[in-house]
Amino acid sequence: MEIEENYLLMMEYPVFEEAKLNEEIKKQLIEIETSFKNEAKESSTQIELNITYQSYIKENRYISIVFDIYKYKDVSTTTYLTIVYDLKQKVFLDISQLFDQKAIYEFSTILKKSLKEKDEKIVRLESVRTNSAPIAYNFRKFSLTKEEIIFYFDSFVLFEDAYQLKISYEKIENNTVFNKESASVFVPYDQVLNEPVKNIDPNKKMIALTFDDGPSKNHTEKILNVLKEANASATFFILGSQVHNAPYLLQRMVLEGNEIGNHTYTHKQLTTLSKAKVEEEIYQTQEAIYEVTHQYPSILRPPYGSHNDMVNDCAKETNVVTWSIDTEDWRSKNADAVVKKVLDEVEDGSIILFHDIFASTAEAIERLVPKLQEMDYQLVTVSELEAYHKGNNHIFTNEAK
Ligand code: NI
């Protein structure tokens, strides 16, 4: 993440054990980042680049990574970058290596049918006819999930909005490429939550540690360990797109008495989006979190802290929460600097902003938690702070709730 005067940049990418795959991802993303920053230099307004990803594995062999590349400059556009890698042969695959021309015809027929269902008129457009024609190039952006193949179409290729077409393997007539694979079994989740009993003294000092942009497998886990050891609680503002990276960590958060908040699905600046898109960002995340924790978050932290009446209105089922201390851990990536900033500025009622995606932040937390407890601060969640520490002006309670 980078926040500068002329641009906002948020980029997420996975790291695999395959060096070849990592190199390819890095190469492609650096290219995109460089051209964006050059564009920012020449722009008179602040522009935004937001890259999130989904990854899939099929038959323990095919890895697909789909980057959703969102750019805002006067208008917003979404483009996709897809990478499909065969772990067995250690090669990158394109669509024509996996499917013959007959299959491409089938994809085109299914695509046209689905476009027609969505908008009868659109199939008559020259550009749409061209871009849905049965040539491999039109279907070059794809991913392989367990059950289906997904094709991706950038903004303005078919519709103004980006478009995805999902086709289950069963539907592809002459499909001999893949074996059927049973879906993996999700860890069963005990619906009876076993939250620890907490004794919060409303007459004593209290603060809320908050962590944005996770979960991340290593760093979030380390932070959870520190909190558990100290019998302390914190709040994690989760990105919907990251939930399935580590669903067990979300379950742990709840079971250990922490709070989960909504940090939108893809971390775009909400104030530049349409109302429908803002609602989609919020509700998709509510559902993703509910799916693994059986609880809907009651708080929302908008990316970059940007909110206005429209955003607040969309967030009507949740309180909007910002912060009083910004550790700027994403900028320094230095544990000493983060520790110092917190100890210099902390006071009763502080809401402190961290990101649980950096090793330096996890290290700072390891030092800060015992130190803050020595200073007689109770470490509570945001909703506990709202309940027990009245008059906090960084929690925007929605009257209509
Ligand atoms: Ni964030």
Side-chain angles (χ1 to χ4, degrees):
M1 180 169 75
E2 292 177 21
I3 304 170
E4 300 297 340
E5 212 167 287
N6 56 344
Y7 68 82
L8 295 175
L9 171 70
M10 171 83 186
M11 199 190 271
E12 286 170 352
Y13 58 91
V15 177
F16 295 94
E17 277 167 25
E18 291 285 309
K20 197 174 166 187
L21 185 52
N22 292 337
E23 274 162 34
E24 179 65 19
I25 290 170
K26 208 167 172 182
K27 194 186 102 194
Q28 302 257 16
L29 292 183
I30 285 173
E31 223 166 85
I32 295 166
E33 185 186 359
T34 309
S35 93
F36 170 75
K37 286 187 177 170
N38 287 335
E39 205 177 321
K41 265 183 221 153
E42 277 152 32
S43 176
S44 54
T45 56
Q46 191 186 49
I47 65 176
E48 178 179 357
L49 179 69
N50 173 289
I51 302 182
T52 51
Y53 73 91
Q54 295 288 317
S55 57
Y56 307 100
I57 186 153
K58 176 165 177 54
E59 288 161 35
N60 277 325
R61 173 170 175 182
Y62 302 102
I63 294 184
S64 304
I65 309 127
V66 184
F67 291 97
D68 182 308
I69 304 162
Y70 167 88
K71 200 167 83 178
Y72 180 80
K73 187 191 179 188
D74 307 322
V75 290
S76 52
T77 54
T78 296
T79 53
Y80 295 103
L81 165 67
T82 62
I83 296 173
V84 178
Y85 185 74
D86 180 349
L87 280 170
K88 200 165 157 193
Q89 294 185 71
K90 303 205 177 293
V91 290
F92 295 98
L93 295 173
D94 64 42
I95 192 76
S96 46
Q97 284 165 289
L98 288 167
F99 296 98
D100 61 12
Q101 186 57 39
K102 193 169 171 232
I104 305 280
Y105 265 104
E106 278 181 295
F107 299 154
S108 172
T109 307
I110 296 169
L111 173 62
K112 282 176 188 158
K113 195 171 159 246
S114 107
L115 293 177
K116 217 171 185 173
E117 275 164 20
K118 202 170 157 19
D119 184 353
E120 180 80 41
K121 282 175 299 220
I122 198 154
V123 279
R124 284 182 235 136
L125 294 176
E126 171 94 44
S127 63
V128 171
R129 284 217 306 268
T130 312
N131 294 333
S132 61
I135 53 170
Y137 180 83
N138 285 337
F139 298 89
R140 71 196 181 283
K141 297 184 179 186
F142 71 102
S143 68
L144 305 170
T145 75
K146 285 192 201 305
E147 312 287 344
E148 54 200 5
I149 178 166
I150 309 176
F151 293 104
Y152 302 85
F153 303 90
D154 300 346
S155 304
F156 301 105
V157 167
L158 299 169
F159 301 100
E160 204 175 297
D161 282 343
Y163 187 67
Q164 297 184 8
L165 176 72
K166 297 178 179 174
I167 304 177
S168 82
Y169 297 118
E170 286 168 6
K171 270 200 188 163
I172 309 166
E173 245 178 70
N174 64 340
N175 166 37
T176 50
V177 185
F178 305 116
N179 307 318
K180 269 195 200 149
E181 189 178 23
S182 56
S184 66
V185 180
F186 188 71
V187 185
Y189 184 57
D190 183 3
Q191 295 207 21
V192 185
L193 292 169
N194 186 23
E195 280 186 46
V197 178
K198 292 191 205 179
N199 295 309
I200 298 169
D201 184 345
N203 300 315
K204 277 173 68 180
K205 295 190 289 183
M206 64 185 82
I207 55 175
L209 308 183
T210 67
F211 299 92
D212 288 12
D213 300 357
S216 79
K217 280 185 181 159
N218 297 333
H219 313 311
T220 306
E221 185 150 38
K222 189 172 171 191
I223 291 167
L224 283 171
N225 292 343
V226 172
L227 293 169
K228 191 179 177 194
E229 177 76 16
N231 202 12
S233 305
T235 304
F236 294 85
F237 288 96
I238 299 287
L239 286 176
S241 63
Q242 299 299 299
V243 166
H244 288 281
N245 267 352
Y248 57 94
L249 287 181
L250 270 73
Q251 297 176 351
R252 231 192 108 178
M253 286 168 192
V254 174
L255 289 166
E256 294 175 3
N258 298 292
E259 181 169 18
I260 292 178
N262 184 325
H263 195 40
T264 75
Y265 207 81
T266 61
H267 207 278
K268 293 175 183 118
Q269 184 167 230
L270 298 180
T271 49
T272 61
L273 299 181
S274 69
K275 193 162 190 266
K277 286 278 177 208
V278 172
E279 284 174 344
E280 194 181 309
E281 284 282 336
I282 295 172
Y283 290 108
Q284 272 192 351
T285 307
Q286 292 290 95
E287 292 304 327
I289 293 170
Y290 183 84
E291 199 186 317
V292 301
T293 64
H294 294 246
Q295 294 188 356
Y296 286 107
S298 62
I299 48 175
L300 167 82
R301 174 171 282 162
Y304 312 103
S306 302
H307 62 116
N308 54 18
D309 287 346
M310 181 269 287
V311 172
N312 296 347
D313 190 42
C314 293
K316 51 186 165 290
E317 283 167 22
T318 53
N319 291 336
V320 171
V321 179
T322 55
W323 54 83
S324 63
I325 300 174
D326 182 357
T327 61
E328 298 208 333
D329 54 348
W330 58 271
R331 196 189 289 274
S332 71
K333 295 199 184 81
N334 178 302
D336 291 339
V338 172
V339 170
K340 183 175 186 307
K341 178 111 182 164
V342 172
L343 296 180
D344 283 352
E345 297 184 17
V346 67
E347 58 180 2
D348 188 21
S350 290
I351 299 178
I352 311 175
L353 169 64
F354 302 90
H355 296 83
D356 52 330
I357 52 174
F358 305 115
S360 49
T361 298
E363 193 195 323
I365 288 300
E366 207 169 13
R367 284 149 59 184
L368 276 169
V369 165
K371 184 81 195 154
L372 290 165
Q373 287 182 326
E374 267 168 42
M375 293 160 80
D376 284 331
Y377 286 109
Q378 301 177 93
L379 305 183
V380 300
T381 68
V382 167
S383 291
E384 288 162 352
L385 192 72
E386 199 225 332
Y388 295 105
H389 189 275
K390 294 292 176 192
N392 195 302
N393 52 5
H394 299 280
I395 303 171
F396 302 86
T397 310
N398 201 309
E399 305 291 336
K401 198 175 74 157

